[in-house]
Amino acid sequence: LGSYLVRFDKIQYPQVPVGVTEITIVFHGANGMDENTDALMENLAKITTSKSKSKSNPTKSTTFMLDWSLYSKNLVQAAYNGQRIGKEVAKRLPARIRKIHIIGISIGA
């Protein structure tokens, strides 16, 4: 059993700025971040910016790419690691978060 215990201390978990109530977290695929995830993050940033500038219903939101590349290379182990990392992320989010959007790409799903 000890060989299956993995410490996820090398992951930078989201630091949610004060006042933010909505967060989008993206889990990349097995090959890590690439031009496709870069494009996705750019588009999500545009959406986040437009939501915060809305005069009728401004939303304080942020988007975060979780780099779990150290734990996603072995596809057999990655599915298990992804579930555990997701639980760790959930534990670390502040209670003020009202909406959470999770985007998983390939094994990140």
Side-chain angles (χ1 to χ4, degrees), residues 3-72:
S3 63
Y4 293 103
L5 296 177
V6 178
R7 292 185 59 210
F8 300 113
D9 54 352
K10 293 185 175 152
I11 292 178
Q12 180 182 356
Y13 292 96
Q15 299 298 313
V16 182
V18 174
V20 168
T21 58
E22 182 177 312
I23 186 169
T24 301
I25 302 171
V26 179
F27 285 76
H28 59 71
N31 294 323
M33 296 174 275
D34 59 20
E35 64 277 351
N36 293 319
T37 55
D38 291 345
L40 173 65
M41 294 306 289
E42 286 177 23
N43 287 326
L44 289 172
K46 289 176 188 174
I47 293 168
T48 300
T49 302
S50 68
K51 281 185 176 183
S52 66
K53 290 183 178 180
S54 170
K55 292 181 181 178
S56 62
N57 188 19
T59 302
K60 294 185 179 182
S61 62
T62 190
T63 302
F64 188 85
M65 169 73 73
L66 186 78
D67 181 5
W68 67 298
S69 56
L70 291 174
Y71 307 99
S72 66

Side-chain angles (χ1 to χ4, degrees), residues 16 20-22 89-100:
V16 182
V20 168
T21 58
E22 182 177 312
V89 168
K91 288 178 193 175
R92 296 166 191 254
L93 290 176
R96 70 177 182 277
I97 299 298
R98 298 291 176 236
K99 284 187 180 180
I100 301 170

